Amino acid sequence: MNETGWLEEWNDVIAGRNPSAIEEFWLARLENGVGDGAAFVEALKRLRSAGKKTLAATLLELAAAEAKEEGAWEGRKRFLSELLRLGIGNGEERRAGLEECVRRLWAGRPSLDKLLKRFSLVSARKPLEALESLEAWLEHDVGGVFAMAGRGPGRVVDANPQLGVLRLDFERERHVPVPIDAARKYLTPLPPGHVLRRRLEEKDTLAAEVTRDPQGALAAILEGSEAPMSVPEIKAALVGLLPEDQWTAWWNRAKKNPRLLAAGSGSRVQYRLAGDLGAEEEIRAEFASAPLARKVELARRHATRNRELSAIMGAELLKRAQETGVEPGAAWEALALATRTGVDAGEVHAAREGVLAQAGAKALLESVNEAAQREAVLDFVREHDPSGWVDVFASWLEHETSARLLGKVAAALVDAGKSVRAQSFVDQVLVQPARFPAAFVWACEEADEGLLGILDERRGGSLLVRLVELAERRVFGPFRGRLREILSAGGLAERIIRERLTADQGRRIVQILEHPGELADERNWLRRAVTARFPELRPGAAIEEVVPALAETVTRLQAELRNLLEKQIPETLRAIQEARTHGDLSENFEYHAARARQEYLSARASELQADLGRVRIVNPATVDIGRVRVGTRVWLEPPSGGGRRAVTILGPYEADPAKGILSHGSEAAQALLEKTPGDSVKFDGGAWTVASIERAI
């Protein structure tokens, strides 16, 4: 029976309410050993709760006497503390007994006598509080070796109860102060033989062992940890023992340790050593009871250990992947791993057909996380659905985030003679880039010759304006590195500026770049490149830019500006002042949020003030419709006849491409301005003829 296993039987004895039986049972338990006394204290609490407080006091005194006779000093300390807490017996004797326990338990600690004088258990008004403080200092006495996160192993070189501070010498820092109240939280004791302690005490010897025996060194590191460790944690344990340039080779050798087990994925992988059963038996036992997602993870890590284990895992994955109700992505991954374990290819193929038929292509693609697995699904769909794969590919374009797969899917549609489907998607992306950030970046990067016919004609000055506007928005944060390449010298931006940028588009880019942003290098280069292409845009050059706008638009913008200047900006400034009072600004979320909003609102107000200062009101009712001008609607016809298309050209604040209203500064509008009926124009990737011009109403 373990230390606490007898407590249920004790409950039955108490319920019998026979004092003789209770005492007899108690004495029998004491004869089996006191240990640390915790179970006995709990038993007495139950006895007192049953109303037998006098008997409980007698039994507690018996336990304290037995513990002294047995030399169970931890148990005796616990019993004496309980006697003092309850006020049972001679207090002076209990205090003296406590001091004896402390001397026995902490014998050899260099500061024992000094600390007993400072935290006198004999004379302290609250002896139990004194005992707690005393033992906190004894746990961290001079000479003790501890680990501290971020600093590694260190030794206590000074303990100053008067100031309440310990000082430790670490490998790279000396006399680091640690308040005693924080010691138990931040200092982890390192017993003799622990890798970190050896790193402090016998560094050269340990370094030689680490280099000579990576598997053994890894085992020692993991054995010294109370919990599984991540790769960064393992690497941190080797600081000063292994040169940085040798880490990769060392880790590749160390992780071949046959006892090594891993759990998790990506940056969350944790490593530990197998227990007494051995690694393979632990893996088999866990695999047998694990859900399918965990089975996949275990098979990915361990199926190559031996053929027998591989065969067991493969057969189980094949079986589970075909069960009803299994999440389709997990089933597909399971089948992919089953293939690698040697399961019959025909069985896997049939199972994949079943998963696809049951889930449907879209649901299956949405549930598969890895791009390589989505590619396998797409290939499988194309092979097994000759009549429907085009629809699957075209609809999946809106959901894909991998640049490589976006290119592959679009190219497949073009090769199949379905360029219109790919073109439609690209147009949708360019109109709504914030909805498709991954696809928008891909459209700026893709260099496949088969797709250039679709993409290249859309990579004009208006695209660059959108790029500069959008590059620093939060939704494009995951693609910031790729956007730097696009917006740098030698990227797409350089080619557009050199070949396709108009002066109006360049002026808009310079205006955008006047506001602060994070991409400092790219912004500086863009400013230099645009002003080199259009010298009239340089600071100090005479620039007279007109912003056309309808009268109702001017009224709306003036109202927005008043709202910004009179309400929103003052409210935000007050919020900033209030947030300043909330403490440390470096961790003050409210302050930083208010500052960011203030910067945005001020930038918007500046933009509105500048544009309203250059505004020219357009009245469509008085516009000359002999040519395409701002304020006109132009009707376009394809040369071969067919559906006509209407395009209205207004100012930047009325533009709505989805409704056929273009800003006069856009690339598409620039291609139409000043044209007359009968002129041929290139518009939206096709050839058109200006059929008629009318006033925009």
Side-chain angles (χ1 to χ4, degrees):
M1 190 178 298
N2 61 37
E3 290 189 6
T4 59
W6 55 273
L7 289 175
E8 292 305 315
E9 188 178 350
W10 172 253
N11 290 337
D12 295 337
V13 174
I14 294 174
R17 309 189 69 80
N18 184 329
S20 297
I22 293 172
E23 185 172 346
E24 182 180 343
F25 184 89
W26 183 259
L27 291 173
R29 288 305 311 163
L30 289 177
E31 288 179 2
N32 291 335
V34 170
D36 67 2
F40 290 92
V41 171
E42 173 60 28
L44 291 174
K45 287 180 181 178
R46 299 183 185 187
L47 185 60
R48 286 196 297 274
S49 297
K52 297 188 176 298
K53 295 182 179 180
T54 302
L55 179 58
T58 301
L59 298 185
L60 180 57
E61 290 184 302
L62 286 173
E66 176 61 28
K68 182 175 182 179
E69 185 176 338
E70 185 182 315
W73 302 108
E74 186 64 38
R76 179 166 169 77
K77 183 184 73 173
R78 193 183 298 271
F79 297 144
L80 291 173
S81 297
E82 190 71 2
L83 287 166
L84 277 170
R85 187 182 69 83
L86 297 171
I88 299 172
N90 187 311
E92 291 183 3
E93 291 182 5
R94 307 304 186 209
R95 290 165 177 262
L98 266 186
E99 182 170 316
E100 181 188 14
C101 291
V102 170
R103 288 188 178 278
R104 298 275 190 170
L105 290 167
W106 299 98
R109 292 297 167 112
S111 304
L112 178 59
D113 290 333
K114 182 177 72 174
L115 290 170
L116 277 169
K117 288 180 181 179
R118 178 167 184 82
F119 302 99
S120 174
L121 300 176
V122 174
S123 61
R125 189 170 62 87
K126 296 181 178 180
L128 298 185
E129 291 183 10
L131 175 63
E132 183 178 358
S133 298
L134 172 62
E135 293 200 307
W137 284 99
L138 288 168
E139 285 176 16
H140 303 91
D141 203 0
V142 172
V145 180
F146 300 86
M148 187 175 186
R151 286 191 166 96
R155 188 184 304 277
V156 178
V157 294
D158 180 54
N160 192 329
Q162 187 172 357
L163 297 177
V165 172
L166 301 168
R167 293 192 181 276
L168 290 87
D169 281 353
F170 292 95
E171 293 167 301
R172 298 182 180 179
E173 297 177 86
R174 295 288 183 266
H175 279 66
V176 175
V178 177
I180 189 64
D181 294 338
R184 284 175 173 161
K185 180 177 180 180
Y186 294 107
L187 298 180
T188 303
L190 299 177
H194 192 286
V195 168
L196 292 182
R197 181 162 183 157
R198 293 187 64 202
R199 198 174 92 186
L200 188 71
E201 298 176 337
E202 44 180 317
K203 189 171 186 176
D204 292 342
T205 301
L206 181 59
E209 293 176 11
V210 166
T211 302
R212 184 175 63 253
D213 183 11
Q215 293 185 21
L218 177 59
I221 292 169
L222 294 174
E223 285 169 348
S225 174
E226 296 180 356
M229 298 178 70
S230 65
V231 170
E233 289 171 333
I234 294 170
K235 190 175 182 181
L238 294 170
V239 169
L241 302 175
L242 187 73
E244 177 69 27
D245 60 0
Q246 295 181 22
W247 159 256
T248 301
W250 183 92
W251 175 242
N252 287 335
R253 292 171 60 196
K255 65 184 179 181
K256 292 179 182 178
N257 187 317
R259 295 177 58 203
L260 188 66
L261 295 175
S265 60
S267 60
R268 297 187 296 274
V269 176
Q270 300 277 310
Y271 293 90
R272 65 178 180 87
L273 293 179
D276 295 336
L277 287 175
E280 188 170 320
E281 289 304 316
E282 281 198 31
I283 293 167
R284 289 190 184 210
E286 183 179 2
F287 184 83
S289 60
L292 182 57
R294 178 61 177 156
K295 286 183 189 290
V296 168
E297 182 183 336
L298 290 169
R300 184 182 289 114
R301 293 190 181 284
H302 304 296
T304 57
R305 283 180 177 260
N306 61 60
R307 291 184 179 179
E308 182 184 0
L309 182 61
S310 178
I312 291 172
M313 288 181 162
E316 177 68 9
L317 291 173
L318 177 65
K319 174 185 173 184
R320 290 292 303 277
Q322 299 178 81
E323 292 178 353
T324 303
V326 174
E327 196 267 336
W332 189 268
E333 277 196 83
L335 292 172
L337 279 170
T339 302
R340 298 178 205 168
T341 62
V343 173
D344 180 74
E347 293 185 72
V348 173
H349 190 86
R352 281 178 166 167
E353 288 183 326
V355 171
L356 179 61
Q358 185 175 7
K362 184 174 182 291
L364 177 55
L365 285 164
E366 287 177 340
S367 65
V368 174
N369 294 323
E370 296 181 4
Q373 292 296 332
R374 293 198 298 276
E375 184 175 15
V377 173
L378 290 166
D379 290 342
F380 196 83
V381 168
R382 187 172 185 180
E383 179 183 351
H384 291 82
D385 190 4
S387 61
W389 73 266
V390 168
D391 289 336
V392 172
F393 274 45
S395 64
W396 182 247
L397 278 172
E398 295 187 10
H399 305 277
E400 185 54 61
T401 57
S402 163
R404 184 176 60 82
L405 281 189
L406 282 165
K408 178 173 180 173
V409 173
L413 292 172
V414 172
D415 291 344
K418 305 296 181 180
S419 298
V420 173
R421 305 290 293 271
Q423 288 175 357
S424 175
F425 170 68
V426 171
D427 289 338
Q428 187 179 8
V429 167
L430 297 182
V431 169
Q432 299 176 288
R435 179 184 170 193
F436 305 102
F440 183 71
V441 176
W442 161 78
C444 298
E445 293 176 322
E446 182 60 60
D448 182 88
E449 291 186 4
L451 296 173
L452 287 181
I454 295 174
L455 296 170
D456 203 42
E457 64 185 22
R458 292 163 171 77
R459 293 171 172 172
S462 59
L463 175 64
L464 182 57
V465 172
R466 297 303 304 278
L467 269 169
V468 177
E469 287 177 328
L470 298 169
E472 293 174 296
R473 290 191 183 179
R474 183 176 300 175
V475 70
F476 286 92
F479 313 101
R480 194 64 52 76
R482 291 160 62 189
L483 286 169
R484 288 182 185 274
E485 293 294 322
I486 294 169
L487 292 172
S488 64
L492 176 65
E494 190 272 334
R495 295 194 296 277
I496 292 176
I497 292 172
R498 185 180 68 245
E499 301 171 3
R500 300 187 175 185
L501 194 69
T502 68
D504 283 340
Q505 292 162 348
R507 183 174 291 108
R508 178 58 185 151
I509 290 173
V510 171
Q511 289 176 342
I512 295 170
L513 296 176
E514 289 175 355
H515 305 306
E518 296 179 12
L519 303 179
D521 292 342
E522 291 71 26
R523 295 169 69 87
N524 290 336
W525 176 83
L526 282 166
R527 187 179 290 105
R528 291 195 303 270
V530 171
T531 54
R533 175 78 171 77
F534 302 104
E536 66 271 21
L537 300 180
R538 292 172 181 168
I543 302 176
E544 184 177 351
E545 179 191 6
V546 171
V547 179
L550 300 174
E552 55 266 33
T553 300
V554 173
T555 301
R556 173 174 59 82
L557 295 179
Q558 289 171 335
E560 181 183 352
L561 180 59
R562 282 195 302 273
N563 184 49
L564 287 169
L565 297 176
E566 298 173 7
K567 182 179 179 183
Q568 295 193 49
I569 291 177
E571 287 178 353
T572 305
L573 290 173
R574 285 193 293 272
I576 291 173
Q577 293 300 323
E578 181 180 350
R580 285 181 184 274
T581 66
H582 293 171
D584 183 6
L585 296 184
S586 65
E587 298 181 1
N588 190 328
F589 172 80
E590 291 82 1
Y591 171 77
H592 291 290
R595 280 296 303 273
R597 177 165 174 75
Q598 190 269 336
E599 290 175 4
Y600 165 76
L601 294 176
S602 296
R604 176 61 175 166
S606 297
E607 181 180 9
L608 288 175
Q609 286 173 323
D611 285 351
L612 286 170
R614 298 189 297 270
V615 76
R616 175 173 64 82
I617 295 178
V618 175
N619 183 359
T622 62
V623 171
D624 179 4
I625 58 174
R627 293 178 179 273
V628 179
R629 306 178 192 279
V630 178
T632 63
R633 179 184 294 115
V634 56
W635 286 90
L636 303 175
E637 288 183 347
S640 57
R644 304 172 76 200
R645 183 169 178 178
V647 178
T648 300
I649 299 177
L650 294 171
Y653 287 100
E654 290 94 12
D656 188 347
K659 296 180 179 179
I661 304 173
L662 303 181
S663 168
H664 76 296
S666 68
E667 187 173 6
Q670 290 289 314
L672 296 174
L673 288 172
E674 299 302 316
K675 295 295 189 290
T676 59
D679 285 349
S680 297
V681 296
K682 280 194 172 184
F683 181 78
D684 198 17
W688 301 79
T689 299
V690 177
S692 62
I693 304 170
E694 60 188 38
R695 294 182 176 89
I697 299 175

